[in-house]
């Protein structure tokens, strides 16, 4: 039999089902510096996680269950909860292998630790990942709400160490289904009293990041510039109107969905547009000339293959984990004289918008708008300028400076609840959560 990490999610679900395992976990044990697995059969996967040092990075807990009715593989990744409950959205996507599934969850959840800490939110970092599982696509009538209700129950069972939200593959409607089964969620639809789709504020935040990058380089503002966007989904499509309003001369963009491109062409006649439909493996858009490249599709697009071809001087986009190899790719970009705005620094507005949602939601909330204010020192604009200046002074890269700051902040303890997340995890295990 192949190693557990090499199985497809469907094979892994069968492996668990054959052993009557519906829930399992992997938790970091500080004293022994090892990953403890809930079941002896899963110890090889625990060792695999521990060996993924950079991405695992002492995750406090990884929790997985097979959906009772849907058979979907549902996960909650809890990276670090010093600042509060682990918070981050739930992604629904198909993965080739268990390794890809786990790696994506780990990287995204670690990224949330850094994003939340940099934004100054009293939240730790976490992420949810759902793979639809053994050949069942939960888009059929009835199955999709069931999937998200199941996920809500799963989140409730974790007793608040992780608070979920919307992410790629999940809609506001899905969040309503999650909310029907748990209070540990944000991004619920406005009709349920929440903030809804976070993409509009995220796009506004990315624009602030672009403005900071231009100011840092002495290139003025966005007027007359050309912006190249990869991925014209929820965030990328909203960038077009915002950029047009700021006097951007031309937007070049690519997406794999033809109907989206056609719709955007019809909607935006106020700006010069060059939008293309591309194949999934076609990343030629990254090599387009322009002032700013904005990756707004999937992660990992900045890598040893793409970096030598990039022609825009500034890179600033919404996609999470744009650097395929964060230990190397920021240096590669800097060596080419390209200014990379770390994604976890500029794409915070989605999580900021829902951060205080559990305390009620106000349209135009000043506590949210402050993050877009060019005067506030912890807003995206001024914090970006500070990070860029520090990178220049120290000869380091913006990604490393932002990461150092985020790491420091992420270890600050929540002023009221302390490190309650790990206490919750300990109690889950003591109470036989996976039994
Ligand atoms: P989305 O799924 O709505 O949009 C992504 C778009 O990229 C889709 O239209 C998809 O067709 C396109 N795409 C996928 N592969 C592509 C390829 N190879 N070439 C060109 N286009 C491709 O997602 P979104 O909500 O717009 O988010 C975009 C990115 O930003 C994601 O990585 C997401 O995790 C991140 N992000 C989003 C938010 C938010 O508020 N929505 C917040 C923070 C981070």
């Amino acid at each position: 039999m192949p190693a557990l990490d090499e199985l497809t999610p469907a094979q892994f679900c069968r492996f668990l089902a054959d052993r009557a395992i519906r829930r399992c976990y992997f938790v970091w044990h500080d004293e022994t510096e090892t990953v403890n697995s809930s079941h002896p059969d899963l110890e090889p996967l625990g060792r695999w996680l521990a060996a993924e040092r950079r991405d695992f990075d002492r995750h406090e807990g990884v929790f997985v269950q097979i959906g009772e009715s849907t058979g979907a593989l549902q996960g909650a990744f809890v990276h670090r909860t010093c600042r509060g409950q682990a918070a981050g959205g739930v992604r629904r996507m198909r993965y080739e292998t268990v390794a890809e599934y786990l790696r994506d969850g780990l990287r995204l959840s670690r990224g949330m630790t850094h994003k939340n800490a940099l934004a100054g939110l009293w939240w730790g970092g976490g992420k949810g990942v759902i793979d639809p599982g053994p050949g069942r696509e939960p888009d059929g009538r009835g199955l999709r709400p069931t999937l998200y209700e199941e996920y809500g129950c799963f989140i409730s069972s974790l007793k608040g160490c992780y608070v979920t939200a919307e992410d790629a593959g999940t809609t506001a409607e899905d969040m309503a289904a999650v909310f029907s089964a748990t209070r540990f969620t944000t991004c619920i639809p406005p009709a349920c009293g929440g903030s809804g789709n976070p993409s509009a504020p995220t796009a506004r935040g990315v624009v602030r990041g672009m403005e900071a990058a231009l100011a840092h380089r002495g290139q003025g503002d966005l007027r007359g510039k050309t912006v190249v966007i990869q991925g014209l989904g929820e965030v990328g499509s909203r960038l077009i109107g915002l950029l047009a309003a700021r006097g951007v001369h031309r937007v070049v963009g690519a997406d794999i969905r033809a109907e989206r491109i056609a719709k955007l062409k019809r909607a935006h006649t106020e700006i010069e547009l060059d939008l293309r439909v591309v194949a999934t493996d076609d990343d030629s858009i990254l090599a387009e000339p322009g002032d700013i490249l904005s990756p707004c599709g999937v992660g990992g697009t900045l890598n040893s293959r793409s970096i030598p071809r990039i022609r825009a001087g500034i890179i600033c986009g919404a996609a999470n984990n744009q650097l395929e190899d964060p230990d190397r790719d920021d240096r590669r970009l800097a060596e080419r004289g390209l200014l990379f705005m770390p994604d976890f620094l500029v794409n915070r507005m989605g999580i900021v918008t829902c951060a205080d949602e559990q305390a009620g939601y106000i349209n135009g909330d000043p506590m949210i708008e402050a993050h877009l204010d060019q005067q506030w020192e912890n807003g995206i604009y001024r914090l970006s300028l500070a990070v860029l200046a520090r990178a220049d002074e120290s000869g380091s890269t913006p990604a490393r400076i932002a990461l150092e700051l985020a790491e420091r902040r992420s270890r600050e303890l929540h002023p009221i609840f302390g490190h309650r997340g790990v206490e919750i995890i300990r109690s889950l295990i003591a109470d036989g959560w996976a039994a």
Side-chain angles (χ1 to χ4, degrees):
M1 191 180 106
L4 290 180
D5 60 287
E6 291 167 11
L7 298 180
T8 64
Q11 288 169 333
F12 183 58
C13 286
R14 268 199 302 281
F15 171 88
L16 295 178
D18 289 348
R19 285 155 186 80
I21 300 174
R22 198 170 82 77
R23 283 181 176 169
C24 58
Y25 62 73
F26 305 90
V27 293
W28 176 251
H29 194 252
D30 247 338
E31 282 93 71
T32 55
E33 303 247 313
T34 52
V35 174
N36 289 354
S37 313
S38 53
H39 299 78
D41 283 333
L42 294 169
E43 275 165 16
L45 205 50
R47 285 194 291 278
W48 180 87
L49 281 166
E52 292 287 300
R53 289 187 98 78
R54 188 188 64 208
D55 297 333
F56 184 74
D57 187 28
R58 298 167 179 240
H59 259 68
E60 291 170 5
V62 174
F63 299 88
V64 175
Q65 80 166 22
I66 306 178
E68 203 160 4
S69 312
T70 61
L73 188 63
Q74 304 171 344
F77 296 74
V78 177
H79 177 233
R80 189 175 295 156
T81 58
C82 304
R83 291 186 73 89
Q85 294 160 290
V90 54
R91 170 168 291 198
R92 184 176 59 86
M93 201 183 261
R94 283 195 182 279
Y95 294 87
E96 295 290 322
T97 61
V98 169
E100 279 181 27
Y101 173 88
L102 291 174
R103 236 181 239 129
D104 206 26
L106 296 174
R107 288 194 71 182
L108 289 163
S109 118
R110 185 169 176 263
M112 289 311 298
T113 291
H114 298 137
K115 191 189 303 192
N116 291 340
L118 271 191
L121 304 174
W122 285 112
W123 259 354
K127 202 79 185 179
V129 185
I130 299 175
D131 185 293
R136 304 176 69 171
E137 180 49 50
D139 289 325
R141 222 178 141 78
L143 202 49
R144 186 158 170 147
T146 306
L147 174 74
Y148 282 97
E149 279 160 30
E150 271 179 354
Y151 195 73
C153 290
F154 170 56
I155 296 309
S156 284
S157 78
L158 296 174
K159 296 189 174 170
C161 64
Y162 166 60
V163 177
T164 195
E166 192 179 331
D167 193 59
T170 301
T171 63
E173 207 178 315
D174 298 328
M175 295 316 296
V178 172
F179 182 51
S180 71
T182 189
R183 62 192 165 109
F184 301 122
T185 184
T186 58
C187 279
I188 59 173
C192 303
S195 57
N197 186 332
S199 307
T202 299
R204 289 172 70 203
V206 170
V207 169
R208 278 287 182 257
M210 292 177 179
E211 288 169 338
L214 288 168
H216 176 77
R217 288 221 148 166
Q219 287 178 248
D221 56 25
L222 280 160
R223 268 173 298 182
K225 303 292 191 292
T226 293
V227 178
V228 180
I229 307 175
Q230 183 188 40
L232 297 161
E234 294 288 341
V235 181
S237 63
R238 286 174 168 86
L239 280 178
I240 298 175
L242 294 173
L243 295 173
R246 279 161 182 76
V248 162
H249 164 63
R250 185 164 177 258
V251 167
V252 186
D255 200 287
I256 55 176
R257 295 187 287 173
E259 77 291 352
R260 188 152 266 272
I261 298 278
K263 193 170 157 204
L264 288 170
K265 280 183 176 167
R266 283 195 303 274
H268 292 284
T269 49
E270 76 280 29
I271 184 168
E272 191 182 320
L273 283 183
D274 176 358
L275 305 185
R276 306 151 195 186
V277 186
V278 292
T280 313
D281 59 356
D282 177 354
D283 69 353
S284 55
I285 188 75
L286 300 176
E288 263 316 299
D291 299 287
I292 300 174
L293 169 65
S294 189
C296 293
V298 293
T301 49
L302 305 177
N303 50 47
S304 53
R305 301 167 303 284
S306 62
I307 290 171
R309 294 182 286 128
I310 294 174
R311 283 151 85 187
I314 291 169
I315 301 160
C316 179
N320 288 313
N321 300 332
Q322 289 163 38
L323 302 175
E324 186 181 272
D325 181 345
D327 293 335
R328 274 207 303 263
D329 292 329
D330 62 329
R331 288 243 179 262
R332 286 190 175 118
L333 288 162
E335 279 158 20
R336 285 215 48 223
L338 308 177
L339 178 56
F340 172 62
M341 301 297 282
D343 37 70
F344 57 94
L345 176 61
V346 301
N347 73 2
R348 67 162 78 156
M349 284 311 292
I351 197 80
V352 164
T353 305
C354 50
D356 296 325
E357 193 178 295
Q358 288 173 323
Y361 184 70
I362 308 166
N363 274 337
D365 188 340
M367 285 176 72
I368 294 173
E369 291 299 313
H371 290 261
L372 296 164
D373 188 329
Q374 280 174 298
Q375 304 308 320
W376 185 39
E377 62 180 18
N378 201 48
I380 294 173
Y381 185 80
R382 295 248 332 248
L383 188 62
S384 294
L385 287 181
V387 163
L388 298 178
R390 178 93 190 85
D392 279 0
E393 282 158 28
S394 64
S396 186
T397 66
R400 272 159 222 240
I401 297 294
L403 189 62
E404 279 165 24
L405 179 60
E407 275 286 317
R408 236 184 358 262
R409 288 186 179 181
S410 75
R411 291 174 199 280
E412 288 169 7
L413 280 185
H414 188 288
I416 297 170
F417 299 121
H419 207 165
R420 192 176 165 97
V422 279
E423 298 300 332
I424 297 173
I425 292 173
R426 280 192 199 124
S427 81
L428 291 173
I429 289 158
D431 294 347
W433 179 82

